[in-house]
């Protein structure tokens, strides 16, 4: 006959497992500064990239999501303090920055990069350029340069949108990322924005 564990034995085992998990969490919390929601998004553990150059997300089970979230917050905080994190592109700059550039910059740097793009496009000439250096992290900088002009002509022969190619180059801790973007301005519009 098989012996069935008593409810108190099972309860003790569950309590011991919870206590061990709490001990590990408190040690990790002390090492990584707590498990609060980080203000800067963490890096993906996957090395796969989406078509826009940002890390791809993966589907996870609920259990692995909870445990991964707790561990990832501490690891992500350490990675971002080392300057190797990945960020969410801000919707505020979606008409100015490509995701390949935005996902490597924190929100303040995205703003600086967008302002540099706007400044470069004001010149409207091939070769117009604007540079920036991060106000929030060391060893992060970038440049936006107009590298080509290719205005559109409407089907009736009238002048259509004015279009330019802008090359963004950012350097994050010695790693250079370059992205070309096509930006257009409709007749009468004040500024260029990313073309679809």
């Amino acid at each position: 006959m098989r012996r069935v564990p008593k409810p108190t034995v099972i309860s003790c085992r569950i309590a011991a497992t919870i206590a061990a998990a709490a001990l590990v969490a408190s040690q990790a919390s002390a090492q990584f500064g707590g498990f609060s929601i980080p203000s800067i998004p963490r890096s993906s553990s996957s090395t796969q990239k989406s078509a826009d150059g940002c890390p791809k997300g993966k589907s996870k089970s609920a259990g692995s999501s909870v445990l991964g979230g707790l561990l990832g917050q501490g690891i992500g905080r350490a990675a971002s303090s080392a300057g190797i994190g990945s960020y969410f592109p801000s919707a505020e700059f979606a008409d100015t920055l490509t995701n390949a550039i935005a996902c490597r910059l924190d929100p303040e740097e995205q703003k600086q990069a967008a302002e540099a793009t706007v400044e470069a496009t004001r010149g409207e000439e091939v070769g117009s350029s604007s540079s920036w250096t991060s106000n929030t992290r060391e060893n992060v900088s970038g440049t936006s340069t107009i590298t080509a002009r290719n205005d559109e002509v409407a089907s009736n022969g009238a002048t259509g949108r004015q279009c330019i190619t802008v090359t963004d180059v950012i350097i994050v801790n010695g790693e250079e990322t370059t992205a070309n973007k096509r930006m257009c301005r409709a007749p009468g519009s004040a500024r260029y924005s990313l073309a679809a």
Side-chain angles (χ1 to χ4, degrees):
M1 183 167 145
R2 201 172 126 222
R3 186 173 173 202
V4 178
K6 295 179 183 177
T8 56
V9 173
I10 293 172
S11 298
C12 289
R13 288 180 182 164
I14 292 171
T17 302
I18 292 171
L23 178 62
V24 169
S26 68
Q27 290 173 347
S29 175
Q31 183 175 356
F32 293 114
F35 288 122
S36 62
I37 296 174
S39 59
I40 300 174
R42 63 186 176 274
S43 176
S44 169
S45 60
S46 171
T47 57
Q48 294 180 334
K49 304 284 183 188
S50 64
D52 61 16
C54 292
K56 278 186 176 180
K58 293 198 272 183
S59 327
K60 297 180 181 179
S61 69
S64 70
S65 291
V66 170
L67 180 60
L70 290 175
L71 295 174
Q73 287 178 4
I75 293 168
R77 187 175 291 122
S80 66
S81 69
I84 55 176
S86 178
Y87 302 94
F88 293 112
S90 171
E92 182 180 357
F93 309 115
D95 68 337
T96 310
L97 298 178
T98 61
N99 286 344
I101 294 295
C103 68
R104 288 169 176 75
L105 303 176
D106 71 27
E108 177 62 28
E109 293 163 348
Q110 289 179 38
K111 179 180 179 184
Q112 289 181 268
E115 288 171 351
T117 294
V118 170
E119 181 65 31
T121 60
R122 282 189 189 129
E124 296 190 41
E125 299 294 324
V126 173
S128 293
S129 183
S130 181
S131 298
W132 59 274
T133 301
S134 176
N135 295 327
T136 57
R137 293 189 293 170
E138 291 183 17
N139 303 318
V140 178
S141 61
T143 303
S144 292
T145 305
I146 298 177
T147 53
R149 176 162 210 95
N150 50 359
D151 294 339
E152 295 178 347
V153 176
S155 59
N156 63 2
T159 303
R161 297 187 304 173
Q162 296 175 322
C163 297
I164 55 177
T165 301
V166 177
T167 300
D168 285 335
V169 178
I170 61 165
I171 299 172
V172 178
N173 292 327
E175 183 180 330
E176 183 176 294
T177 301
T178 301
N180 292 321
K181 57 191 175 188
R182 185 168 185 255
M183 300 185 77
C184 294
R185 177 175 66 183
S189 178
R191 71 185 275 248
Y192 288 88
S193 59
L194 286 177

